Amino acid sequence: MAHDDRLFEDAARRAARYLREVDARPVAPTAEALDGLARFDEPLAEAGVDGAAILAQLDEVGSPATVATNGGRYFGFVIGGAHPAALAAHCLTLAWDQNVGPRVLSPVGAKLEEVAGGWLRDLFALPEDTAFAFVTGAGMASFTALAAARRALLLRAGWDVDADGLYGAPEIRVVCSAESHPTIHKALGLLGLGRKRVIEVPTDAQGRLIADALPPLDDRTIVCVQAGNINSGAVDPLPAVTAAARAAGAWVHVDGAFGLWARACPDAAPLVAGLEACDSWATDGHKWLNLPYENAVAFVRDGGALRGAMSIRAPYLLESGAREPYDTTPELSRRPRGVDFWAALKALGRQGVADLVRRSCGQARVAADGLRQAGWTVLNDVALNQVTAVPPAGATPSAVAAAVQADGTCWLGPTRWKGRDALRLSFSSMHTTEADVARSLERIVALAEDVRAKAG
Ligand SMILES: *Cc1c(COP(=O)(O)O)cnc(C)c1O
């Protein structure tokens, strides 16, 4: 079948219109749009349908049932929008249909992965020869980095875990903050290190691991710390943890899904001082850098351990002698993620990344101040981009979250932190303007008042 110019242009036109209108629509889809999804419930037909009709159905039924995370007033999870340059570059790579597993399948994909990996290492001021792997999300990045950690620690003990497995292997201990992100536990489970076998270290009022409460460390211990607690944005005490780990020969892994980006902004960088002394790092591109989804990176100081854990060999893989992407990631086939990173970093420059981080942090402070003035209790010190707050008595957080989501002006989600039900707002989108913050704040406060009035 021939390639079809008109079809791709139709897709581009529809995408452009979606983006033009995304800020004018309710952030969560309407009940009518959700009901409309039933139009997808049809049996697989005997005969195929032409592409134009497929695009029309996808756009007419699907577009209204999206959540407007690519607008300016989505404050759930830590969801950034998509940078126009990265989004457009991403679309071009889709037409290329590149598989960057083996270098020979996508020289440009492999090249831009190396360029973007080097730029990121530089931006985060990580050690010079740190290896990198482009994966789907921060959870997968932690999985990848922890696979390297497992390999390195067991090799030192004379055990090749990737060849011989974990049965009979010397024991590895994993020490985590009691507020580690659930993806860390999932990664540990997948690696055979156990979701529940971890030694949990208590946290302080801001959710930072208490360094004095660390158990004795040794050279068969992995310590997982975080830069950017999902509720408070707080960063674990990296200098104290890395000093203890260095002395004992333990491996320190950092979950910096969004917090690592503080490193790229002079105002916020002091929060993550000491980061360079860790052994591995995980971060997302689809959060604060505002890339399309499934963009994250793992960094591992010991590149040999990463390659040892991830390498794959087959006679047809045509080793080039240069860096082979398939030697770094769990997947063999995958799309050229480096392009999205390259495009956004090139579009923003160092200054643009720093400004994005600074602006998001400023918006978080404005929102926290506004909520406090309206009688809310802000539970965290707003040092970064997360705000966790409790509405005035009488307005339960879950009812306020439901009211805000149904209203459609903006979106925030409920959370539970330090034993309290609360609401959480994340500021991580380049599309969020100061006017968006003001308008959302006004609406959130008013809706909480309504909930309170109705409950009272
Ligand atoms: C979002 C997040 C993750 C998981 O990231 P994914 O991209 O969803 O895999 C892990 N840790 C922290 C701190 C996060 O904020």
Side-chain angles (χ1 to χ4, degrees), residues 128-373:
E128 217 169 277
D129 45 5
T130 296
F132 44 82
F134 286 87
V135 294
T136 48
M140 202 58 181
S142 283
F143 170 83
T144 303
L146 290 169
R150 183 182 72 161
R151 175 170 186 77
L153 295 197
L154 285 174
L155 266 187
R156 268 190 233 153
W159 188 270
D160 181 347
V161 66
D162 296 291
D164 300 322
L166 274 177
Y167 295 113
E171 214 173 289
I172 289 200
R173 287 194 314 159
V174 181
V175 174
C176 278
S177 150
E179 294 193 35
S180 289
H181 194 273
T183 50
I184 292 289
H185 296 272
K186 181 164 180 171
L188 293 170
L190 291 171
L191 287 163
L193 297 172
R195 292 185 187 217
K196 282 169 64 182
R197 259 180 93 264
V198 296
I199 301 169
E200 287 200 342
V201 183
T203 54
D204 67 12
Q206 287 304 313
R208 284 177 293 245
L209 168 154
I210 298 171
D212 286 344
L214 279 171
L217 306 177
D218 61 22
D219 60 0
R220 256 181 260 153
T221 305
I222 300 170
V223 185
C224 297
V225 291
Q226 62 185 344
N229 177 301
I230 195 78
N231 287 306
S232 65
V235 177
D236 286 339
L238 301 169
V241 175
T242 51
R246 267 292 132 89
W251 179 294
V252 182
H253 171 68
V254 188
D255 175 3
F258 61 95
L260 209 62
W261 293 89
R263 188 86 162 168
C265 174
D267 299 3
L271 294 171
V272 285
L275 202 74
E276 65 287 347
C278 299
D279 298 282
S280 58
W281 304 262
T283 196
D284 264 317
H286 56 219
K287 287 182 175 169
W288 228 340
L289 187 60
N290 286 208
L291 298 186
Y293 292 101
E294 301 202 4
N295 272 310
V297 206
F299 296 97
V300 180
R301 186 195 290 263
D302 180 350
L306 177 67
R307 275 191 305 282
M310 294 299 154
S311 70
I312 181 167
R313 291 288 174 268
Y316 55 80
L317 276 178
L318 307 170
E319 279 169 68
S320 61
R323 177 184 185 273
E324 283 294 351
Y326 60 65
D327 276 340
T328 61
T329 57
E331 310 94 332
L332 173 55
S333 291
R334 66 188 169 79
R335 64 174 190 82
R337 301 205 163 88
V339 176
D340 299 12
F341 278 92
W342 168 81
L345 290 170
K346 199 169 164 72
L348 289 165
R350 280 178 193 278
Q351 193 67 56
V353 178
D355 288 346
L356 175 56
V357 170
R358 190 179 300 111
R359 194 161 149 229
S360 301
C361 294
Q363 292 174 341
R365 284 193 300 273
V366 166
D369 287 345
L371 292 174
R372 270 192 221 99
Q373 277 161 26

Side-chain angles (χ1 to χ4, degrees), residues 38-65:
R39 287 166 61 193
F40 286 125
D41 291 327
E42 48 188 3
L44 177 60
E46 209 52 52
V49 167
D50 109 284
I54 291 167
L55 267 186
Q57 184 185 7
L58 185 63
D59 192 21
E60 284 155 24
V61 181
S63 292

